[in-house]
Amino acid sequence: MGRNPYHPKPTDEDSSSASETDTLLAGVGYTVRSSDLHHVADRLEKLDSTIIAAAASGVPPEFLCSSAIHYNPSDLASWIDSLLTEVPPHSSPSLWTDATCLPPPSSFSIDAHRLGKEEDAGIRLVHLLMTCADSIQRDDLVLARSLIDEMRLLLPLIGVGYGIGKVSIFFLDALDRRISFLPQPTKTVLEDEILYSHFYEACPNLKFAHFTANQAILEAFNGCDRVHVIDLSLMHGLQWPALIQALALRPGGPPALRLTGIGPKTAKVGLRLAEFARSVGVPFTFQAVAAGRLDSVRVKPGEAVAINSVLQLHLLLSETGPIDSVLTLIRELRPKILTVVEQDADHNKPAFLDRFTEALFYYSTLFDSLAAGGGDGGCSAAAEVYLQREICNIVCCEGSERVERHEPMGRWRVRLGRAGFEPMHLGSNAFRQASMLLKLFSSEGYGVEEVEGCLSLSWHGRSLISASAWRARADSAVALVARHRYIIL
């Protein structure tokens, strides 16, 4: 038999190195030779595949609890063969007989527990997640279920307290729910608001959104005596005390401020903001509007209007979503400025695998930034639950139930331009505000970048969230009286 051309004849140097390796192996009690290690690797791969296939078919792993002592064996190959004889027979075929468009996970041949390489097991886990998403896209739920079972066996080898192990738990749960046809966990308005506030405290993302939007609104209101802010999602009203304070310090005195808050249970928030405005000397009135009722908002003559949307417009992007009609309503209010902050991600692709892939890497980056930020452990845990709900919606839901349809800023730029808006450049003051905000956080991984007049918050160069400002184009003006919404009160 001729020599394999891919394995050239060993040199004297190679032989010397192999001899030294054999000596080291013998010194720690192994009789296996370096020339036999490729055979050992093949047996490890077979053992790994056999254990996984047995577990996927429901065979309990008692064979791993044998009274036989297998540590530090004198012959690795014989040890592996003895383990293989202990694996009970099972009727399940190999997990990879149904090939996917991705390479089979068994090609990684990784045993993280034996090799002590969590990073290798993490790579394998990512590969399994992607393969599972691909099998779901092809409607092969049997393979998807076996992959989920395999990933559950792999997780303990990685650790779920940090890194890819932690974020993978959420994606694994979402995949399981999707193929098991389990609904997304329900949430109350109170729970949503509590988780939102914890996410606000755990990282600079929402603070960046609020500070950047406030600076743009403050500059748009320059010289105006009566101003009206319409918040498309008031929540706790965390954004507005800073703006009220800035208006109070405006040279020449503060303007009269009216705030319209859209959302559930906004009246109490309005009362608290009114008390704060009174304490700093800003004339203030508040109007509460039910969620989804932008058409009931009233504007008074002479008011300078600002409309604020923080992480809201993407919720309107379903196939039957009202994004176009909402943008038309906003344009008809003739705001001096429309501030838009959105996740800079692409979770609205039609193909499930594409959407899943983008989400996996986006949220891995986001979880990495949370972990590096430190802070209160309970706050970070609640922030993770806040993100878990987003992940679950992206992965589990379709149609009108899937509302977390994040899109990159480039796509928003096209959509807003088509709706009759033109961009307003976020100036150097907004950039400085955002940069100063990041200095309050201990982690050095955050950065602020300016792209075509918009600002983005990034983590190690990966954009997480983008802020932009817009105004209605003069050639797209629509008379407000056409809808009887310009009312003198």
Side-chain angles (χ1 to χ4, degrees):
M1 180 180 296
R3 178 174 297 275
N4 189 326
Y6 295 101
H7 294 279
K9 182 177 180 180
T11 64
D12 292 340
E13 183 179 351
D14 292 334
S15 300
S16 175
S17 177
S19 178
E20 291 177 1
T21 302
D22 291 343
T23 302
L24 290 173
L25 287 169
V28 293
Y30 295 104
T31 60
V32 67
R33 300 174 63 83
S34 59
S35 58
D36 295 326
L37 288 179
H38 72 279
H39 170 66
V40 175
D42 290 341
R43 306 303 285 169
L44 282 170
E45 180 177 351
K46 182 177 179 180
L47 174 64
D48 188 46
S49 299
T50 304
I51 291 174
I52 290 169
S57 63
V59 176
E62 283 83 0
F63 61 90
L64 294 178
C65 304
S66 169
S67 59
I69 298 176
H70 296 301
Y71 60 86
N72 195 24
S74 62
D75 189 321
L76 285 176
S78 298
W79 171 54
I80 296 168
D81 286 336
S82 69
L83 278 180
L84 286 169
T85 63
E86 296 178 23
V87 180
H90 55 87
S91 58
S92 176
S94 170
L95 290 179
W96 314 116
T97 54
D98 184 3
T100 68
C101 65
L102 299 172
S106 59
S107 65
F108 280 84
S109 305
I110 296 169
D111 185 333
H113 179 68
R114 287 188 292 270
L115 300 179
K117 294 182 178 180
E118 289 188 2
E119 64 275 16
D120 290 340
I123 292 172
R124 179 176 186 173
L125 180 60
V126 170
H127 180 77
L128 291 172
L129 285 167
M130 301 281 290
T131 307
C132 186
D134 177 67
S135 65
I136 290 175
Q137 180 169 283
R138 294 183 294 104
D139 204 28
D140 188 348
L141 301 187
V142 174
L143 177 58
R145 169 55 63 192
S146 68
L147 291 167
I148 287 175
D149 292 339
E150 181 178 356
M151 284 186 279
R152 294 198 188 283
L153 294 174
L154 188 61
L155 277 174
L157 306 179
I158 300 172
V160 296
Y162 58 92
I164 189 62
K166 172 171 283 190
V167 73
S168 292
I169 284 186
F170 298 141
F171 278 90
L172 183 56
D173 175 72
L175 288 169
D176 194 5
R177 286 181 174 276
R178 183 179 178 109
I179 69 174
S180 301
F181 304 101
L182 296 175
Q184 184 178 4
T186 58
K187 59 181 178 179
T188 65
V189 172
L190 179 60
E191 289 173 343
D192 198 35
E193 291 182 348
I194 291 174
L195 294 176
Y196 181 90
S197 64
H198 281 296
F199 182 65
Y200 180 90
E201 294 297 334
C203 64
N205 297 34
L206 292 175
K207 296 182 182 72
F208 164 83
H210 293 172
F211 274 66
T212 304
N214 282 354
Q215 182 61 40
I217 292 171
L218 188 66
E219 293 178 5
F221 282 166
N222 187 35
C224 301
D225 295 328
R226 300 170 62 196
V227 297
H228 184 182
V229 175
I230 302 169
D231 190 351
L232 298 187
S233 181
L234 186 64
M235 299 295 286
H236 288 293
L238 299 173
Q239 178 172 350
W240 304 119
L243 180 68
I244 294 172
Q245 181 70 53
L247 291 174
L249 299 175
R250 200 174 73 170
L257 170 63
R258 191 151 73 99
L259 175 63
T260 296
I262 299 177
K265 300 181 179 180
T266 58
K268 291 183 179 180
V269 176
L271 288 174
R272 291 198 298 269
L273 291 174
E275 292 174 0
F276 178 78
R278 189 181 305 112
S279 69
V280 296
V282 174
F284 182 86
T285 57
F286 179 80
Q287 177 187 6
V289 173
R293 292 306 309 274
L294 180 62
D295 58 334
S296 65
V297 174
R298 298 294 181 259
V299 175
K300 296 181 180 180
E303 286 184 334
V305 176
I307 299 178
N308 182 72
S309 174
V310 173
L311 311 184
Q312 290 302 302
L313 291 184
H314 74 269
L315 301 175
L316 310 175
L317 291 179
S318 66
E319 290 82 352
T320 58
I323 183 65
D324 292 333
S325 59
V326 167
L327 291 178
T328 297
L329 289 173
I330 291 173
R331 191 187 67 220
E332 291 177 353
L333 286 169
R334 303 297 298 152
K336 286 182 68 68
I337 187 171
L338 163 65
T339 50
V340 176
V341 181
E342 286 290 340
Q343 294 93 335
D344 198 3
D346 197 356
H347 303 152
N348 198 27
K349 294 182 176 179
F352 175 69
L353 179 59
D354 293 339
R355 189 166 73 240
F356 181 89
T357 304
E358 174 70 19
L360 179 60
F361 289 101
Y362 176 82
Y363 283 100
S364 295
T365 304
L366 199 49
F367 272 75
D368 184 41
S369 69
L370 277 179
D376 178 69
C379 183
S380 296
E384 290 170 2
V385 175
Y386 175 84
L387 296 176
Q388 180 187 12
R389 293 177 181 272
E390 290 186 0
I391 293 169
C392 191
N393 186 265
I394 293 169
V395 175
C396 292
C397 301
E398 295 293 349
S400 60
E401 293 182 355
R402 180 163 62 87
V403 297
E404 299 295 347
R405 295 172 175 262
H406 312 138
E407 291 189 345
M409 179 50 63
R411 207 168 300 162
W412 282 110
R413 188 176 287 110
V414 172
R415 179 177 287 107
L416 288 163
R418 191 170 57 234
F421 292 91
E422 60 184 7
M424 299 174 63
H425 188 86
L426 291 172
S428 57
N429 288 334
F431 185 89
R432 283 196 297 268
Q433 286 270 10
S435 299
M436 289 174 59
L437 170 67
L438 295 186
K439 291 181 181 179
L440 301 177
F441 283 78
S442 58
S443 176
E444 298 180 354
Y446 288 105
V448 179
E449 298 179 4
E450 188 273 332
V451 181
E452 298 185 36
C454 306
L455 292 185
S456 68
L457 175 69
S458 63
W459 173 254
H460 290 295
R462 202 309 187 179
S463 180
L464 298 175
I465 189 171
S466 292
S468 58
W470 306 81
R471 62 187 167 206
R473 290 197 306 267
D475 59 0
S476 65
V478 178
L480 297 179
V481 293
R483 289 191 176 221
H484 308 288
R485 301 179 61 248
Y486 196 95
I487 300 177
I488 300 176
L489 301 176

